[in-house]
Amino acid sequence: MNAEIIAVGSEMLTPYRMDTNSLYLTDQLTQLGVDLIFKSVVGDNLRRLVGAAQHALFRSDIVIFSGGLGPTEDDLTREAVAEALGLGLRRDEEILSRLEQRFAERGWKMSPNNAKQADVLDGATVLSNPNGTAPGQWLSGQFDGREHIILLLPGPPAPRRAYLLP
């Protein structure tokens, strides 16, 4: 079984950030005996993300996306993977309720853009995120006649600490 990691975020294409999530994931895959065959960083662009997803699905059994699940306009991982797979996105009311509760507990009003973090790929299992607002997603099944596992994982909860270079 082989795997590929796609780190998502234009900030990681600058000289000021480093993709530390992929290093951690590489270690975990190695411990599981999974052969990592490709690693890439893709900026926040829907067309490029869709293309990267399609290429990854062509060559890899496991495709892991790291980042791009937040509330901003340029967080496009969910949308790109849905398009690449020809799947829909549905708003999960339970996740939306937890998001609203999290904001309320801090005395904040949740802005509408945060709701997109509750969008889930059709058929995906939601992975809770105790460190942030964007949950991960797990999807497995046949795509293009091959069995795949696809993971969407949020980026680091504190990007400045997680990958700002000294």
Side-chain angles (χ1 to χ4, degrees):
M1 184 168 276
N2 64 42
E4 179 163 342
I5 299 169
I6 300 173
V8 179
S10 295
E11 69 278 3
M12 287 185 291
L13 295 170
T14 71
Y16 309 109
R17 302 280 173 113
M18 188 171 66
D19 172 25
T20 57
N21 277 7
S22 290
L23 298 174
Y24 173 79
L25 293 168
T26 299
D27 179 55
Q28 297 302 301
L29 290 167
T30 300
Q31 289 183 42
L32 293 170
V34 176
D35 184 25
L36 183 66
I37 62 167
F38 213 90
K39 214 190 275 194
S40 60
V41 176
V42 180
D44 300 309
N45 176 283
L46 184 63
R47 297 274 53 90
R48 291 184 196 118
L49 285 168
V50 170
Q54 290 170 335
H55 287 315
L57 289 164
F58 177 75
R59 65 184 164 229
S60 302
D61 303 317
I62 301 169
V63 181
I64 303 170
F65 294 85
S66 175
L69 299 178
T72 63
E73 284 182 23
D74 65 351
D75 287 317
L76 300 166
T77 300
R78 285 177 294 270
E79 295 84 348
V81 173
E83 186 174 328
L85 297 173
L87 295 174
L89 287 167
R90 63 177 170 74
R91 178 100 358 127
D92 186 302
E93 294 301 321
E94 185 177 326
I95 295 171
L96 186 58
S97 177
R98 282 196 308 258
L99 284 168
E100 291 168 343
Q101 179 181 356
R102 183 179 176 118
F103 277 83
E105 287 170 353
R106 289 166 173 74
W108 302 335
K109 180 169 174 35
M110 188 177 92
S111 60
N113 60 310
N114 280 284
K116 78 181 240 174
Q117 295 176 99
D119 291 345
V120 177
L121 292 160
D122 288 339
T125 299
V126 173
L127 305 172
S128 66
N129 178 2
N131 297 311
T133 55
Q137 298 183 39
W138 168 287
L139 190 64
S140 62
Q142 291 278 326
F143 302 104
D144 289 333
R146 289 181 47 216
E147 189 70 27
H148 290 300
I149 295 171
I150 301 162
L151 287 161
L152 283 65
L153 302 175
R160 292 175 197 259
R161 284 195 317 259
Y163 41 55
L164 185 61
L165 295 176

